[in-house]
């Protein structure tokens, strides 16, 4: 099961890339990224993009029970943890 298009858009935003930047980094054309985000690309393209995001530190959270899809960026979590530890030591 692949993440839905809106989750892939969220992942792109979390890594801070435009469609053009993502296409270049992942080896796609910008049109392919656009089609993936519209939900109109083939399964293989979606899987390749998902693998690219995972290499960038993105974790896709699969639906469980009544909860839907989610996305987590390890780079953001690491930055948040260091920011909060700096705040607590300066209080």
């Amino acid at each position: 099961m692949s993440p839905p298009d809106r989750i892939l858009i969220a992942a792109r935003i979390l890594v801070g890339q435009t469609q053009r930047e993502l296409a270049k980094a992942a080896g796609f054309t910008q049109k392919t990224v656009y089609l993936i985000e519209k939900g109109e690309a083939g399964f293989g393209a979606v899987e390749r993009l998902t693998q690219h995001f995972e290499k960038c530190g993105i974790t896709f959270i699969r639906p469980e029970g009544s909860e839907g899809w989610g996305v987590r960026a390890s780079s953001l979590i690491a930055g948040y943890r260091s920011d909060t530890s700096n705040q607590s030591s300066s209080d």
Side-chain angles (χ1 to χ4, degrees), residues 59-77:
T59 302
F60 294 98
I61 305 163
R62 295 184 179 276
E64 188 173 306
S66 64
E67 300 291 322
W69 279 92
V71 62
R72 178 182 302 131
S74 60
S75 60
L76 294 177
I77 293 170

Side-chain angles (χ1 to χ4, degrees), residues 15-16 21 25 27 38 42 46 49 53 56 64 76 81 87 91:
V15 297
E21 292 166 338
K38 276 186 71 178
V46 174
L49 186 60
F53 281 135
C56 293
E64 188 173 306
L76 294 177
R81 286 185 182 145
Q87 289 176 352
D91 289 341

Side-chain angles (χ1 to χ4, degrees), residues 14 23 80:
L14 284 171
Y80 174 76

Side-chain angles (χ1 to χ4, degrees), residues 18-38:
T18 65
Q19 285 183 346
R20 179 173 293 166
E21 292 166 338
L22 175 59
K24 184 175 181 181
F28 288 110
T29 64
Q30 184 177 354
K31 182 176 181 177
T32 300
V33 172
Y34 169 77
L35 291 173
I36 291 170
E37 291 185 354
K38 276 186 71 178

Side-chain angles (χ1 to χ4, degrees), residues 4-5 13 20 41-42 53 70 73 84:
D5 50 353
I13 292 168
R20 179 173 293 166
F53 281 135
T84 57

